[in-house]
Amino acid sequence: MTHARQQIREAVVSLLTGLTTTGANVYDTRLYSHNALPSLTVFADAESINNEVSTKTSQMRNLTIRVEARVKGTSGAEDIVDTICAEVDAAIYDDTTLDGRALDTNLEATVIEYSVEQDQPIALAILTFNVEYRVAPGAPTVLL
């Protein structure tokens, strides 16, 4: 069985695959071809345990999931990034339990950056989500 973080990350990837603007260009690794843009990259960034609400039979965790939206081009890139952000936000809001794997998922922040290091400028939005979930203590593969 896979770690709960991986199960959650894979659920986010599945949920975001097929959005109107990014289509199948959704990756669960930061290593991918930048030729496949616009795209989304999903990764787990940090995790903490909420000991105040954890018990001997249930450990509450908060996982930071980041979704990076990348767009290449000089014309309209900022508008396209905003459209992708709206699509991602709506998709997550429609299934905040990530198909029953999480108790709740909330957007915490969005950061927008621009880079001219490629052959064409890249617009990047980083959406940060907090995913609250529960596992059995000592069994990080068992979601409760």
Side-chain angles (χ1 to χ4, degrees):
M1 186 60 115
T2 58
H3 195 287
R5 277 191 308 267
Q6 181 179 346
Q7 294 175 54
I8 289 168
R9 189 180 72 247
E10 289 172 351
V12 172
V13 168
S14 177
L15 185 63
L16 299 180
T17 299
L19 296 179
T20 302
T21 307
T22 52
N25 294 336
V26 182
Y27 306 96
D28 65 353
T29 176
R30 290 179 163 179
L31 305 174
Y32 66 94
S33 170
H34 285 275
N35 293 325
L37 297 179
S39 69
L40 296 171
T41 306
V42 178
F43 58 95
D45 192 46
E47 182 177 66
S48 63
I49 297 170
N50 187 338
N51 288 318
E52 292 181 14
V53 294
S54 293
T55 67
K56 290 184 179 189
T57 59
S58 174
Q59 187 178 68
M60 187 69 71
R61 296 185 177 198
N62 289 294
L63 177 63
T64 300
I65 291 283
R66 298 213 195 272
V67 177
E68 293 183 350
R70 283 188 172 76
V71 173
K72 188 182 213 179
T74 56
S75 178
E78 187 171 19
D79 293 341
I80 296 169
V81 146
D82 286 340
T83 298
I84 294 170
C85 288
E87 292 172 1
V88 168
D89 196 8
I92 296 289
Y93 183 76
D94 282 346
D95 187 4
T96 59
T97 67
L98 306 174
D99 200 26
R101 290 174 181 82
L103 299 172
D104 201 11
T105 304
N106 291 295
L107 178 64
E108 291 190 333
T110 302
V111 176
I112 300 171
E113 301 175 356
Y114 301 93
S115 170
V116 292
E117 296 176 10
Q118 305 290 324
D119 59 337
Q120 288 185 334
I122 301 279
L124 168 69
I126 304 166
L127 294 88
T128 301
F129 292 91
N130 179 64
V131 180
E132 187 177 87
Y133 71 99
R134 199 172 34 223
V135 293
T141 62
V142 181
L143 285 159
L144 299 176

